[in-house]
Amino acid sequence: MIRMTSRGFHAGKNFLTRLLAARFLSHPPRMSSSVRWAKIAKRAKDTEDVRDVIAVQGDEVLDWDYIHHWCKAHGTRELLDSIRASIPPID
């Protein structure tokens, strides 16, 4: 059973959907685009998707140099940093 606080991952009917989204969005161009969509559309779902991907994939898997480059270019670096900071440590 997987659980994360603050509306993150949890076991249930949405678990598989979120896991598949995490796999799809973990590709760096998709990740930076998702942060951009979160800023433009101001939809909580986009922010949650980015947050869940980062929480599941972890810092070791994601290409942060690429993601930071494009988020800076899109003007979304501050949003990305706030999303990353909102993720509680998972034990």
Side-chain angles (χ1 to χ4, degrees):
M1 179 183 253
I2 297 176
R3 250 193 213 292
M4 189 172 113
T5 61
S6 301
R7 297 184 57 183
F9 272 99
H10 57 85
K13 67 180 182 177
N14 292 326
F15 176 72
L16 183 57
T17 302
R18 288 186 177 268
L19 188 59
L20 291 173
R23 181 72 178 140
F24 177 76
L25 291 174
S26 64
H27 187 349
R30 292 184 190 120
M31 172 67 80
S32 60
S33 293
S34 294
V35 177
R36 187 177 184 193
W37 297 330
K39 181 179 180 179
I40 293 169
K42 295 182 174 44
R43 294 185 317 179
K45 175 71 172 125
D46 295 317
T47 302
E48 290 171 12
D49 287 347
V50 171
R51 185 174 183 265
D52 290 344
V53 169
I54 295 169
V56 169
Q57 296 295 321
D59 285 332
E60 301 80 29
V61 174
L62 297 169
D63 184 351
W64 287 110
D65 290 336
Y66 183 95
I67 294 167
H68 286 158
H69 168 79
W70 284 106
C71 284
K72 182 178 178 183
H74 295 152
T76 56
R77 176 64 192 268
E78 187 175 313
L79 176 58
L80 174 66
D81 291 342
S82 71
I83 293 170
R84 285 182 78 187
S86 73
I87 301 170
I90 300 174
D91 296 329

